[in-house]
Amino acid sequence: MSEHTHHHGPASFSRAFAIGIALNIAFVATEAFYGWRVGSLALLADAGHNLSDVAGLVLAWGAALAAGRLPDHRHTYGWQRASILAAFANAVLLLVAMGSLLWEAGHRLQAPHPTDGITIMIVAAVGVLVNGATAALFMAGGKSDMNIRGAFLHMAADALVSLGVVAAGALYLWTGWAWLDPVTSMAIALVIIAGTWSLFRQSLHLLFDGVPESVALVEVDALLRALPGVKGVHDLHVWAMSTTEIALTAHLVMPGGHPGDAFLEKIAHDLHDHFHITHPTIQIEFDDPNHGCAQPLDIPSP
């Protein structure tokens, strides 16, 4: 048996998190003040939503730092799963915030009252810039890391909310319809809930060691069975170690004997290239089913 141990920390977004948190704390204070001053539910709801996103960013940052910790005797895989937990918590936090917004908007719709359209537009426009810039900081990592995608979705959702508030303020100035403020809040909340549901579903799936959506287990099985000398595949398991790393274990039945390290390295590279699996562990079983050779393979991501 030969082992190769590597630790693959996620790309660092610490600077992005620090900037995003600082910008959003300042904006929350500004938005809450003016929302209270002019009596705008849209601004106050957006301020509350932004405050939940500050908590979400802190949570995602903590998870990213935890995932970078090296394994030890008590946590042999490190703290990588923290990133999955943070993605799930972020999704729940956003869904709860939007649910609260819907509830409050429903009550306000029953008794709408006039607001200051100019102030609403100016403050919300600042929110579009702040949240859009923060979202851009996480855009690069959103495709490959679910935790970073959660942070990106939070900020992109905030930018969308603020843009909707700007539009509602402009329309209010033109028409004088007081009900626009709560209706706009409800419409935006529904859009964000629809967009967040995928993150919630995927992160919950991974928390229960589900096969990542990027991996088709049938195709993995077919790749292994097609290898020369392989007569059978069993005990095939694939799960996410974090939001960026995927592990696999499998038993290959090879009556002809051990195929050599080069063969096993090729399997590892094929699994990585086709399915982004970074931690494969392959066990070779010979003629005697009670005797096998375990070959752990752990290759770094390119």
Side-chain angles (χ1 to χ4, degrees), residues 34-42 44 108 113-116 181:
Y34 282 102
W36 166 77
R37 184 174 180 180
V38 302
S40 170
L41 172 64
L44 289 173
R108 180 65 65 91
H113 60 79
T115 56
D116 185 344
D181 189 72

Side-chain angles (χ1 to χ4, degrees), residues 6-7 12 43 52 62 81 92 110 119 152 157 183 190 223 226 234-235 258:
H6 302 279
H7 180 73
S12 176
L43 283 182
S52 74
R81 189 164 288 253
V92 171
Q110 298 175 20
T119 300
F152 170 77
V183 167
L190 290 173
L223 182 149
H234 60 90
D235 292 331
H258 196 290

Side-chain angles (χ1 to χ4, degrees), residues 130-147:
V130 169
N131 294 311
T134 306
L137 295 173
F138 299 103
M139 185 178 296
K143 296 180 180 179
S144 58
D145 188 334
M146 187 182 296
N147 184 40

